[in-house]
Amino acid sequence: ACVARIYGLAFAFGVPVRLIYGNLVNSAATGLALSRYALARLRRRPLVWVKTEHAYPSRAALLPHKRPLGEILVGSGYLTAEELERARATKPSGVLLGHHLVHCGLLSEEELYEALSIQLGIDLGVIDPDQVSREVARALPAHIVREWNVLPVRIESGNMYLVSPNPPNDELQHALRRHTRLEIRVQLVTPTNFRRLAESLL
């Protein structure tokens, strides 16, 4: 009666139908989830989260909205504005500003990557080789590791956690999709940390 008063009789008459339909959809979803769980247990594979597809802007589309690295370095106290301007004036063509600053001794590698982590919105980590199993580190083909400078360090709950000294991009995601159905999570590490991991685990 309340529904009829607010929404009208036509809407009220549809309530039982919608109730039955909603229960059928919920039952089907529950059955599908249980079957996926049983299949994953049977095959001894991690569950993969089946997500609704959403249209998010790519990382490339967000690049124009990044804060400039120099602005982050000065704002965070890594450099003075004068040091930044001198570095820009002496930077050779084709050399990245961050690499030039490290080469000149104005920044440490760790400081550069802390700033890159802020700029890109990607966590920066320090990974000890003893924390990573060789089996996990070799979960991707060797040519993928070499070509893209990525290294698996953990597989958990349907996710593959990678470390890399390079920011992830859409091309990397596409290349990895041919080798794993796990969700990819990338963490930044310094080149020195990455080399140490690769030398110890590969």
Side-chain angles (χ1 to χ4, degrees):
C2 183
V3 173
R5 283 200 306 271
I6 297 173
Y7 298 104
L9 283 174
F11 188 89
F13 284 133
V15 169
V17 177
R18 287 192 294 274
L19 181 63
I20 294 171
Y21 179 75
N23 284 331
L24 286 174
V25 171
N26 286 335
S27 298
T30 301
L32 181 60
L34 289 173
S35 66
R36 287 182 179 275
Y37 173 77
L39 192 60
R41 290 296 300 271
L42 185 64
R43 295 178 176 176
R44 296 184 178 180
R45 292 180 179 175
L47 280 171
V48 177
W49 183 23
V50 180
K51 300 182 294 184
T52 303
E53 291 295 328
H54 298 286
Y56 294 111
S58 67
R59 187 172 294 276
L62 294 174
L63 286 177
H65 304 284
K66 289 192 308 182
R67 288 175 63 195
L69 180 62
E71 178 184 311
I72 294 171
L73 291 169
V74 173
S76 300
Y78 292 110
L79 294 175
T80 66
E82 292 75 17
E83 287 173 329
L84 177 62
E85 288 308 311
R86 285 199 298 270
R88 282 175 171 160
T90 60
K91 183 180 75 68
S93 176
V95 176
L96 294 174
L97 175 62
H99 292 169
H100 180 58
L101 289 166
V102 172
H103 179 74
C104 292
L106 293 171
L107 277 184
S108 68
E109 189 180 66
E110 290 75 16
E111 289 170 336
L112 170 61
Y113 270 75
E114 286 170 5
L116 287 173
S117 172
I118 294 170
Q119 183 190 43
L120 300 169
I122 302 174
D123 289 339
L124 174 67
V126 179
I127 309 298
D128 191 316
D130 292 337
Q131 298 173 337
V132 184
S133 78
R134 277 189 166 79
E135 182 181 358
V136 170
R138 297 174 182 179
L140 290 174
H143 73 275
I144 291 292
V145 173
R146 289 193 301 269
E147 180 179 353
W148 294 98
N149 263 9
V150 293
L151 188 71
V153 294
R154 183 159 55 99
I155 295 175
E156 182 179 281
S157 303
N159 296 291
M160 178 182 284
Y161 294 86
L162 308 177
V163 294
S164 176
N166 303 325
N169 54 39
D170 295 336
E171 289 78 11
L172 170 63
Q173 294 282 348
H174 181 71
L176 293 176
R177 280 285 157 259
R178 294 196 290 266
H179 301 283
T180 180
R181 295 184 61 190
L182 298 173
E183 287 292 319
I184 302 300
R185 312 290 183 194
V186 180
Q187 183 179 38
L188 277 180
V189 292
T190 64
T192 299
N193 192 184
F194 186 83
R195 284 194 299 271
R196 184 177 170 222
L197 288 167
E199 289 168 1
S200 299
L201 298 168
L202 299 180

